[in-house]
Amino acid sequence: MKTGNYINYGFSYFQDFFNEEELSLIEPIIIKFHNSWLKENQEFYSKGAINSHSLTSSKSLSKQDKKILFEFISSNKMVNLIEIDNPKFLNTQLFFDPNNLNQKNYWHRDIQYTGISEKDQKEAIKTQNVIHFRIPFKKELGIELIPETHRKWDSTEEYQVRNSLNNKKPSDSLKKGNLIKLERTDLLVFSANMIHRGIYGNNRLSFDIIYCDNDPKILKFRDKKNLPIELELKEFKNAEIFG
Ligand SMILES: O=C(O)CCC(=O)C(=O)O
């Protein structure tokens, strides 16, 4: 198993982290959600969507399906890897290929979409942790990221690419880009705040669990419907992540 270092670099890669038994427990639930999402979001998908979210509040999943997802999300295997104090569960996402495979990907920081000023983004990334745990069900071309940018603001080139300035495009290559290819059974932990992009292809399907700091400024984005409200919290091992 190869581990990176989230604290210093903003990502950790765990090769062959899951076994088939663990994956096959959640995979049918993920596929059930995805098929139903595709049916309900045909137009959104045809216009370029590359992800869906909020699996744990979905009407297409049963209480039992959600219990299995919550057990996975709060398992020791996951929670012991979160390198921050008192982590909280924020949400889930699925990443898939765009309908049009010529669609370009885009470098970004998730924080740029939260509506806070750039001055506040610069300040927030110095301490804030919003962490994706990416679980690919298929071999995928991977995630490309710029190490250390979970704490460091953009270089001029990175800033111009990310913001389409000076004739640059968000899909242009970046010098410090570090591509992490992923296989089924791997896990990639990475900061949502760092500069990153997904590489489309191979009909990818990745389940991302997002954890974050116990910080009201982040938790205001948490939709309570995604928490195990219909289930007894005491049934889960690390139930405090849902608190
Ligand atoms: O996989 C992708 O397309 C992008 C991933 C991403 O932006 C994210 O997980 O925040």
Side-chain angles (χ1 to χ4, degrees):
M1 189 165 68
K2 240 193 296 177
T3 60
N5 181 333
Y6 169 78
I7 299 292
N8 291 323
Y9 299 109
F11 71 99
S12 302
Y13 168 62
F14 299 87
Q15 193 173 30
D16 220 2
F17 183 72
F18 297 107
N19 59 43
E20 275 304 320
E21 205 180 315
E22 289 161 332
L23 291 180
S24 57
L25 192 64
I26 58 166
E27 190 173 24
I29 302 170
I30 301 298
I31 291 173
K32 179 172 164 185
F33 171 85
H34 187 48
N35 288 339
S36 140
W37 185 91
L38 284 173
K39 245 188 232 149
E40 284 169 21
N41 293 276
Q42 278 172 13
E43 198 186 336
F44 185 33
Y45 178 61
S46 69
K47 286 191 173 153
I50 54 147
N51 63 50
S52 55
H53 61 87
S54 302
L55 282 74
T56 56
S57 62
S58 169
K59 289 196 175 64
S60 64
L61 298 183
S62 68
K63 192 170 163 183
Q64 181 59 19
D65 293 334
K66 290 177 193 170
K67 183 165 182 244
I68 293 169
L69 290 183
F70 285 128
E71 277 167 356
F72 190 88
I73 290 164
S74 62
S75 63
N76 284 337
K77 188 156 179 167
M78 295 285 109
V79 174
N80 289 345
L81 286 188
I82 316 174
E83 297 179 61
I84 58 174
D85 292 335
N86 199 6
K88 298 289 173 192
F89 163 66
L90 184 60
N91 204 350
T92 50
Q93 283 183 297
L94 278 191
F95 286 86
F96 41 82
D97 279 344
N99 188 36
N100 170 8
L101 265 177
N102 294 322
Q103 183 172 311
K104 299 277 191 219
N105 58 27
Y106 54 99
W107 290 103
H108 64 282
R109 299 177 183 268
D110 289 11
I111 197 170
Q112 76 191 63
Y113 306 117
T114 57
I116 68 172
S117 72
E118 205 165 272
K119 183 166 163 280
D120 290 345
Q121 292 177 35
K122 267 188 197 170
E123 207 42 45
I125 67 164
K126 290 181 187 164
T127 54
Q128 188 186 82
N129 298 288
V130 179
I131 311 176
H132 277 249
F133 276 45
R134 168 159 294 211
I135 300 152
F137 287 100
K138 295 184 183 157
K139 179 187 177 81
E140 78 178 50
L141 299 172
I143 290 280
E144 193 173 7
L145 37 80
I146 313 283
E148 299 178 28
T149 54
H150 64 316
R151 298 286 174 249
K152 230 172 37 194
W153 195 244
D154 309 44
S155 67
T156 306
E157 183 202 21
E158 289 159 1
Y159 186 82
Q160 290 181 347
V161 165
R162 184 162 70 85
N163 292 290
S164 311
L165 300 171
N166 211 8
N167 294 323
K168 300 201 183 341
K169 294 189 293 301
S171 60
D172 287 351
S173 55
L174 284 173
K175 278 201 272 310
K176 291 191 179 159
N178 185 359
L179 178 63
I180 318 280
K181 293 185 186 150
L182 297 171
E183 299 280 342
R184 182 180 168 94
T185 73
D186 290 350
L187 168 71
L188 178 66
V189 172
F190 67 98
S191 162
N193 283 347
M194 76 193 309
I195 304 176
H196 64 280
R197 64 172 170 175
I199 310 295
Y200 311 149
N202 277 357
N203 200 16
R204 67 189 188 142
L205 185 67
S206 260
F207 176 46
D208 281 31
I209 306 171
I210 307 162
Y211 303 96
C212 65
D213 290 320
N214 182 18
D215 176 351
K217 288 203 281 301
I218 310 173
L219 290 173
K220 73 173 186 209
F221 294 106
R222 180 161 82 165
D223 183 345
K224 291 208 168 43
K225 289 203 286 299
N226 285 313
L227 299 174
I229 34 186
E230 297 173 326
L231 296 156
E232 292 276 352
L233 273 189
K234 62 174 188 290
E235 291 181 48
F236 302 107
K237 280 217 173 64
N238 297 288
E240 62 283 356
I241 66 165
F242 301 122

